[in-house]
Amino acid sequence: MLSNQELPTQDLCGLMADLLLKKQWKLATAESCTGGLISAACTDLAGSSAWFERGFVTYSNDAKVELLGVEERLLRRAGAVCEGVARAMAVGALAHSRAQVAVAVTGVAGPTGGSPAKPVGTVWFGFALPGQVLTEKCHFAGDRAAVRAATVRHAVRKLTELLEQNGA
């Protein structure tokens, strides 16, 4: 049997869906750099309405503030690509939905927009599950499409692992 590391993204989505259904939980996404690709991967599965609640595409800082409740001063102080914003996006996705689980991503997909502190390929993830919010920073190599695809894959794989650990 393949490990979660080796499974194709669509198979990981199916595994994640099974875990969510077992718990009778729904998922919300909050996406910046992926522009809705995580939501698309989830809703590519037939029957996803049973476990996918909604997706927020909050590409601009204004959208992060208005739709998810991310604090403007956090965005001004740290920028959109940071741990605090990923956390706030995940928490905001839960607060503004009927979901029990959320995943949020904010990053620099490139080819422009990077800096020495936040080079192209830097992505922060936020994962909110009942009673816990976790964050993680990753750096993915490649062009814009590769960074975005790797971000989707990592988000689904990591959320699947967290659901497995949560007894789903």
Side-chain angles (χ1 to χ4, degrees):
M1 179 165 173
L2 294 174
S3 74
N4 283 357
Q5 294 283 347
E6 301 166 308
L7 287 175
T9 300
Q10 218 39 50
D11 291 348
L12 283 171
C13 281
L15 181 56
M16 179 182 68
D18 290 343
L19 294 167
L20 288 164
L21 286 168
K22 231 188 243 186
K23 284 285 212 183
Q24 297 182 331
W25 286 350
K26 292 206 175 208
L27 171 66
T29 63
E31 302 180 65
S32 187
C33 61
T34 51
L37 293 174
I38 298 169
S39 296
C42 291
T43 58
D44 276 347
L45 293 176
S48 57
S49 61
W51 56 270
F52 185 83
E53 208 277 324
R54 71 183 70 183
F56 298 91
V57 177
T58 55
Y59 207 74
S60 71
N61 286 350
D62 287 342
K64 289 172 183 65
V65 172
E66 293 167 15
L67 297 175
L68 300 173
V70 176
E71 293 184 14
E72 286 183 55
R73 67 176 176 225
L74 173 62
L75 289 161
R76 279 195 307 271
R77 184 181 76 240
V81 181
C82 69
E83 180 177 18
V85 169
R87 176 181 295 277
M89 288 173 67
V91 169
L94 285 187
H96 294 91
S97 72
R98 292 184 175 97
Q100 295 76 33
V101 178
V103 59
V105 295
T106 182
V108 184
T112 61
S115 69
K118 298 173 188 176
V120 169
T122 302
V123 180
W124 274 99
F125 295 82
F127 301 94
L129 292 95
Q132 64 179 326
V133 180
L134 304 159
T135 57
E136 182 177 16
K137 178 180 163 185
C138 293
H139 188 273
F140 301 112
D143 64 9
R144 182 177 182 81
V147 169
R148 288 165 45 118
T151 299
V152 171
R153 178 172 176 68
H154 183 78
V156 173
R157 184 184 58 74
K158 182 68 173 190
L159 186 53
T160 300
E161 290 174 2
L162 292 170
L163 289 166
E164 287 172 335
Q165 293 167 9
N166 202 302

